[in-house]
Structures are given as structure tokens and as C-alpha cells.
């Protein structure tokens, strides 16, 4: 999937693989404009570029930008990679597809912004620090018949994602689900998640979902 990973950059995991599966099911014509926001290592951007898409990838982390650039260079794939806050470097164009694997883990210290490596997963008290922005801002960048693919945890309210995307006149559905064992981050805050009712008393798995939203006109 990738060739290298600079320390401190989010490594492709189950959520990346699940979104890559959903991407493989999409018809991506050669030359289609694809935007990968929060690209991290660049794994999804590279997957789209291998399909012949014209890919722009964005990340706020300098290390992630350099990791994605080096991976694109090593695989000789023409990916345009920009550093910036979410959609800021991508405005002024429309896209046939937008891919998003944003931070989505609820954090007990959600009153302040995440720092360091935790920026790759912590997303505020409800896990929606970036999800809400993506749902509100992505539709304006979609070309006619354009598609948004978002992966998130069931802990961060997929129903809210569907509601916001449908409110923007997109046809939105869950197209992929996968249950995985709780990782180190969630295990470290299990007690807090259970107190909030996000995890059942004996639950040891997390559900990941991919949401697909299409502009129908």
C-alpha cells in the first residue's frame, strides 16, 4: 500500500483498508478528479492514482505531507500533495470524488485541540471535530454525480453524518461495516467511553463504517 512511513505519521490500519475496499467498488474513470483530505501516509491517494485518477491530497501535518510525497515519488505516481487545513488548499476546483479518513475518536479532553500524534485520531468530546466540517464543506466541492466516501467509527455518530450529507441534497448510505478489536487508544479510555454509554459493559470491539454520499444532480 505504501513504501515508507515517517515517525509520527498515522499508519494505514483497518479504517484505511475499509475505505480502500469501498474505493475499489467505485467506477473511477481515467482522469477523474479525486481529492483525499487528511491523506496521512498517502495510501488512499496512491490507490486512486493507480486507477488513473488525477489526485490531489491534503494534510495539515508537515510530516504527513512529506511522507505522502515520498511514497508518490517511490511509486512514480503523479499525486498533487498540499499542506493545509482540510479543504483550504483544494478550493476553486470541483471533484468527482472526495475521500476522507479523518480523526474520529471521542476524547475525554475534548475541550482543547489535540496535539502531536493524537491529532491523527482525537476529534473532540463527540469525535466530530472534523466530521461535521467535512459534511458541511465537501458538498460544495463535488462535481455533478460526484461521490464522497467517509470512514468513521460508530462511536462518533454515523447517523449525524448521514443527516448532514442528506441535508446538503446528497444521497447518503452506509456501504461498508467492519467490527475490529479495540485498539490501544480506545482501550486507554474504555472506562470513560462506558460511562458515556458509547461502549456496552462487556463490549470489546469497535464498529467502523464507510458512508457514501452522491450528488444526484
Amino acid at each position: 500500500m505504501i513504501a515508507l512511513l515517517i515517525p509520527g505519521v498515522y499508519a494505514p490500519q483497518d479504517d484505511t483498508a475499509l475505505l480502500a475496499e469501498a474505493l475499489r467498488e467505485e467506477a473511477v474513470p481515467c482522469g477523474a478528479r479525486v481529492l483525499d483530505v487528511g491523506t496521512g501516509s498517502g495510501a488512499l491517494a496512491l490507490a486512486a492514482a493507480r486507477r488513473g485518477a488525477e489526485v490531489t491530497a491534503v494534510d495539515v501535518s508537515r510530516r504527513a505531507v512529506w511522507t505522502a510525497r515520498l511514497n508518490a515519488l517511490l511509486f512514480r505516481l503523479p499525486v498533487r500533495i498540499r499542506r493545509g487545513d482540510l479543504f483550504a488548499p483544494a478550493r476553486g476546483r470541483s471533484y468527482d470524488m472526495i475521500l476522507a479518513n479523518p480523526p474520529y475518536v471521542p476524547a475525554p479532553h475534548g475541550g482543547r485541540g489535540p496535539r502531536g500524534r493524537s491529532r491523527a485520531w482525537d476529534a473532540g468530546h463527540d469525535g466530530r471535530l472534523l466530521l461535521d466540517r467535512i459534511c458541511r464543506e465537501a458538498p460544495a466541492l463535488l462535481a455533478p454525480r460526484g461521490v464522497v466516501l467517509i470512514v468513521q467509527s460508530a462511536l462518533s455518530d454515523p447517523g449525524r453524518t448521514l443527516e448532514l450529507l442528506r441535508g446538503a441534497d446528497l444521497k447518503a448510505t452506509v456501504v461498508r461495516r467492519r467490527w475490529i478489536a479495540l485498539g490501544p487508544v480506545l482501550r486507554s479510555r474504555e472506562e470513560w467511553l462506558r460511562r458515556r454509554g458509547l461502549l456496552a459493559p462487556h463490549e470489546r470491539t469497535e464498529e467502523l463504517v464507510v458512508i457514501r454520499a452522491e450528488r444526484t444532480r
Side-chain angles (χ1 to χ4, degrees), residues 110-158:
R112 62 180 188 272
R115 296 177 178 274
R117 292 186 62 205
S118 67
R119 288 191 305 176
W121 54 79
D122 280 353
H125 197 72
D126 59 2
R128 300 198 58 86
L129 189 65
L130 291 181
L131 278 166
D132 284 344
R133 286 186 58 196
I134 290 168
C135 292
R136 291 189 177 106
E137 297 176 28
L141 298 178
L142 280 181
R145 311 298 299 185
V147 170
V148 182
L149 292 175
I150 303 171
V151 63
Q152 68 170 93
S153 171
L155 300 175
S156 48
D157 196 355

Side-chain angles (χ1 to χ4, degrees), residues 85-109:
D85 179 34
L86 212 58
F87 296 109
R91 300 198 188 283
R93 305 183 82 196
S94 62
Y95 298 88
D96 302 297
M97 179 174 292
I98 297 174
L99 304 171
N101 181 5
Y104 51 68
V105 177
H109 49 274

Side-chain angles (χ1 to χ4, degrees), residues 135 139 142 146-150 158-175 210-216:
C135 292
L142 280 181
V147 170
V148 182
L149 292 175
I150 303 171
R160 173 68 175 162
T161 301
L162 292 168
E163 178 186 356
L164 288 172
L165 293 170
R166 289 167 181 167
D169 290 329
L170 304 185
K171 180 182 178 183
T173 57
V174 174
V175 293
V210 174
I211 291 173
R212 181 186 191 273
E214 181 179 356
R215 180 175 296 288
T216 57

Side-chain angles (χ1 to χ4, degrees), residues 104-110 123-128 155-157 189-200:
Y104 51 68
V105 177
H109 49 274
H125 197 72
D126 59 2
R128 300 198 58 86
L155 300 175
S156 48
D157 196 355
R189 55 190 67 164
E190 267 187 78
E191 188 176 326
W192 176 77
L193 291 167
R194 295 190 199 286
R195 286 200 305 268
R196 290 196 59 206
L198 295 174
L199 278 178

Side-chain angles (χ1 to χ4, degrees), residues 11-87:
Q13 298 184 45
D14 293 279
D15 50 3
T16 309
L18 193 63
L19 190 51
E21 286 178 14
L23 172 61
R24 284 195 293 272
E25 290 197 348
E26 294 290 330
V28 182
C30 187
R33 288 183 175 180
V34 174
L35 174 62
D36 179 24
V37 291
T39 193
S41 66
L44 292 164
L46 299 184
R50 290 185 180 103
R51 302 275 297 276
E54 178 189 323
V55 183
T56 300
V58 176
D59 205 290
V60 72
S61 161
R62 287 186 177 87
R63 291 188 179 199
V65 166
W66 278 110
T67 298
R69 284 176 177 166
L70 288 169
N71 278 311
L73 182 65
L74 288 168
F75 285 108
R76 299 182 181 180
L77 290 168
V79 179
R80 182 186 298 107
I81 301 162
R82 299 286 183 265
R83 179 174 178 263
D85 179 34
L86 212 58
F87 296 109

